[in-house]
Amino acid sequence: MGWNILCDFDGTIALQDVTDAVLVRYARPGWELIEAAWKAGRITSRECMGQQVALLDAGRDELDALLDGIRIDPAFPEFVRAAHAAGCRLTVVSDGLDYAIERILARHGLGPLPVIANRLVADGERGWRLDFPHSRQDCRVGSGTCKCAVAAAAPPRLRNLLIGDGQSDFCVAARADYVFAKAKLIEHCRQQRIAHAPIGGFLEALALLPSLLDGLLDTPRETVSVLPLPSRASTP
């Protein structure tokens, strides 16, 4: 069996949360209160994102200038090449902004990668809205992009490898066959006894890929710690 790699973007490929960077720079006052309501469980992730994006006040040129300054993990392009050479299928799956993801990837020669994310749509000269083509009414966590549905749609001949870092990956981690976990996702996988390897970035993921392909990491529902935990300084 081969591997279907589902890779988060914000904090995983990108070295920061791109949506937060956009909101900090261009959102009108009130987006932090919306964030607090989501963290308190009063609204869903989808509702939070939609309401926050509606507060953006930025022209496309301004948005592009910010996006062009976003850094990605320098080892990610090499990881993509190695995964494709091994016959893996790799898709970027994010609860973030498709326009932002696609522009950043294209700048690094990764434009052909398939992206599943919330759709950022211009609404006038300086306004924006979000559409949710990958949401599900039965999504357990109310995400704009239901990552569990994406994982479930993988061809039966492929196993799912999740690469992620945060809360938007918690639910789908339980459905993945294996996880390369960063940051908050490491402790979640430990607590839930999800088969995983902790990584600090794609340099470690690249080193682990041959062992994954050879079946040496395939230990379902047991925690496999093959690398030391990343230090705080190495976690973006």
Side-chain angles (χ1 to χ4, degrees), residues 24-180:
V24 168
R25 180 72 65 86
Y26 293 123
R28 294 186 294 272
W31 73 268
E32 300 98 331
L33 295 176
I34 298 170
E35 186 86 2
W38 167 64
K39 290 181 177 179
R42 296 194 297 273
I43 60 175
T44 66
S45 173
R46 173 178 170 172
E47 292 168 330
C48 175
M49 290 279 291
Q51 292 175 30
Q52 288 178 323
V53 166
L55 293 177
L56 290 178
D57 178 15
R60 188 176 296 272
D61 289 347
E62 293 171 295
L63 181 60
D64 288 349
L66 185 150
L67 297 177
D68 289 347
I70 299 291
R71 295 169 55 231
I72 70 168
D73 187 311
F76 180 65
E78 180 59 29
F79 178 84
V80 172
R81 287 190 287 270
H84 284 165
C88 301
R89 190 172 77 168
L90 191 152
T91 304
V92 178
V93 185
S94 171
D95 205 22
L97 313 175
D98 65 348
Y99 178 80
I101 296 168
E102 289 164 0
R103 184 175 181 88
I104 293 167
L105 290 176
R107 196 175 80 247
H108 293 275
L110 298 167
L113 280 180
V115 173
I116 296 176
N118 303 315
R119 183 177 297 149
L120 184 65
V121 181
D123 187 12
E125 291 187 3
R126 301 185 61 82
W128 301 86
R129 74 171 194 272
L130 269 190
D131 290 344
F132 301 96
H134 308 290
S135 66
R136 289 277 297 264
Q137 290 298 320
D138 58 350
C139 180
R140 291 175 56 195
V141 293
S143 293
T145 297
C146 183
K147 295 185 178 184
C148 291
V150 177
R157 62 183 176 81
L158 297 179
R159 289 175 288 183
N160 285 313
L161 169 69
L162 171 68
I163 307 177
D165 78 307
Q167 189 169 338
S168 71
D169 303 305
F170 285 4
C171 188
V172 68
R175 295 174 177 262
D177 295 283
Y178 202 79
V179 179
F180 288 174

Side-chain angles (χ1 to χ4, degrees), residues 174-188:
R175 295 174 177 262
D177 295 283
Y178 202 79
V179 179
F180 288 174
K182 289 182 65 176
K184 294 179 181 178
L185 188 57
I186 296 173
E187 185 58 29
H188 175 79

